[in-house]
Amino acid sequence: LKTGGDVPFGFRLGKDGRTLVEDAAEQETIALARSLAAEGLSFRRIAEELNRRGIQTKKGRKWTHVQAATIIRATA
């Protein structure tokens, strides 16, 4: 699988610099976000919870509700 730009959250580039491989820590974050969504939390509350736990985005920033929605919807 060749990437056309940014590597999606939950993955990193493999040793060949072209293949996507799962990033275990980011996959755990996705699982947590999906679990919180299943409990009925809003995307905004999910972002707040990820930030409260000190989990950062791939770019090392705080989560927003838009980013939380994106990772949950992309993995649904």
Side-chain angles (χ1 to χ4, degrees):
L1 177 64
K2 200 172 180 181
T3 62
D6 289 340
V7 176
F9 191 83
F11 297 89
R12 59 181 168 75
L13 286 179
K15 291 181 181 181
D16 63 5
R18 297 174 50 171
T19 305
L20 290 178
V21 294
E22 288 189 354
D23 179 291
E26 290 180 2
Q27 289 292 327
E28 286 181 23
T29 299
I30 292 169
L32 171 60
R34 289 187 55 136
S35 174
L36 294 171
E39 291 176 19
L41 271 68
S42 68
F43 295 133
R44 190 170 308 278
R45 290 287 313 276
I46 293 167
E48 289 171 358
E49 182 61 21
L50 295 176
N51 292 328
R52 186 188 71 75
R53 294 182 185 211
I55 300 169
Q56 297 180 335
T57 66
K58 187 172 280 296
K59 294 183 180 181
R61 298 186 178 136
K62 291 190 175 210
W63 288 91
T64 66
H65 66 286
V66 173
Q67 292 163 317
T70 299
I71 66 165
I72 291 166
R73 290 178 178 151
T75 60

